[in-house]
Amino acid sequence: MFTNPERSSIRSQLVELARVDPSVVGAALVGSGARDAEDDWSDIDLVLQLAPERMSPLL
């Protein structure tokens, strides 16, 4: 479990890593964070869209 400031810092770090990764072409914050309804038990719900040419086929 993280404090609200810790969660915010981790989320910011994840978004920045996604921003500089050429494989990531889109991102969305979903869940309680997107609704401004986080509490002590909230997790980080971050959806990333990968560039099709960067994805490997599933086996």
Side-chain angles (χ1 to χ4, degrees), residues 6-59:
E6 289 170 332
R7 186 183 309 107
S8 179
S9 175
I10 292 167
R11 181 175 42 243
S12 294
Q13 291 173 44
L14 290 170
V15 169
E16 185 55 34
L17 288 169
R19 188 182 318 272
V20 299
D21 187 331
S23 298
V24 178
V25 296
L29 178 63
V30 297
S32 60
R35 295 187 316 270
D36 197 27
E38 291 178 314
D39 62 24
D40 290 342
W41 298 99
S42 294
D43 58 0
I44 299 170
D45 298 304
L46 186 62
V47 178
L48 302 177
Q49 179 182 357
L50 301 179
E53 64 274 8
R54 298 290 196 151
M55 294 175 56
S56 60
L58 298 175
L59 300 176

